[in-house]
Amino acid sequence: MNSLDCIQQATALCEALRGQLTADAHILAEFYRRLEQISAQIHKNMEVRDVAFAQEFNDFCQTMRQDTDKQETAWAQIRAEVRSWHKDAYGADTALPAKGFNNKAKTLSRICDEFLTEYHRFYRLYQGYTAQKLNVWLLTSCAETLNNLTDKILFLAREIAKNAERYRGA
């Protein structure tokens, strides 16, 4: 795979991860709303009406873990490919795609921050909730993995953009 194809693949993976994180943040916000209602019902000694919450939340966490593992594997391959490049791999045709990838990585970083905000919001509410067993540890693991992965992607994008600019005339 040449450098241009690798940058285009990385950009596509970045967009896919951004879409996944955006969707997961919205789902997590919905789980927060539902947990808030359940907690209020428990606090008022009312019967909890949302009986499917725990199962749906645990399924969401399991699916998210699988998606995160797939992303991690794909990005490890991309990073290994980029590490093998020499300065002659950065042709004049890589500068613009590299800048585009860098911009996509910055957008991904912002989306990851939004996801982490939703996660922390949910986690604060969950700490006082003991009525059902939820796999929040799995959500915590995914959040940490996604944060670390996003940092690596952002670093990789910056390095590619910097090297593409530096070596484009070489």
Side-chain angles (χ1 to χ4, degrees), residues 80-105:
E81 175 73 25
V82 171
R83 283 188 200 116
S84 69
W85 292 354
H86 298 289
K87 69 179 181 179
D88 55 337
Y90 296 97
D93 59 342
T94 60
L96 191 57
K99 286 182 182 180
F101 174 49
N102 192 22
N103 289 336
K104 298 284 185 188

Side-chain angles (χ1 to χ4, degrees), residues 3-134:
S3 59
L4 186 58
D5 291 339
C6 187
I7 291 171
Q8 290 171 344
Q9 182 183 5
T11 302
L13 279 173
C14 193
E15 278 298 297
L17 183 56
R18 184 193 60 77
Q20 174 190 338
L21 276 176
T22 301
D24 288 345
H26 289 297
I27 292 169
L28 195 55
E30 179 63 23
F31 278 125
Y32 174 81
R33 186 193 60 75
R34 288 171 65 185
L35 184 61
E36 199 172 41
Q37 288 178 340
I38 291 170
S39 294
Q41 290 168 357
I42 291 171
H43 182 71
K44 295 176 184 175
N45 290 326
M46 296 173 62
E47 181 181 341
V48 175
R49 289 173 259 169
D50 193 353
V51 293
F53 176 78
Q55 183 62 43
E56 289 175 12
F57 180 79
N58 290 338
D59 291 344
F60 164 73
C61 290
Q62 191 66 36
T63 302
M64 189 174 179
R65 180 78 258 170
Q66 292 168 354
D67 292 343
T68 302
D69 289 344
K70 289 176 190 172
Q71 286 286 341
E72 244 186 333
T73 303
W75 281 105
Q77 292 171 349
I78 294 284
R79 286 194 319 271
E81 175 73 25
V82 171
R83 283 188 200 116
S84 69
W85 292 354
H86 298 289
K87 69 179 181 179
D88 55 337
Y90 296 97
D93 59 342
T94 60
L96 191 57
K99 286 182 182 180
F101 174 49
N102 192 22
N103 289 336
K104 298 284 185 188
K106 289 176 186 176
T107 302
L108 173 65
S109 179
R110 286 190 292 275
I111 296 298
C112 185
D113 289 344
E114 291 174 15
F115 172 77
L116 291 173
T117 299
E118 287 298 328
Y119 160 74
H120 288 297
R121 190 170 151 229
F122 180 87
Y123 190 77
R124 276 194 302 272
L125 181 61
Y126 168 74
Q127 286 178 327
Y129 177 76
T130 58
Q132 294 173 317
K133 183 175 170 98
L134 301 178

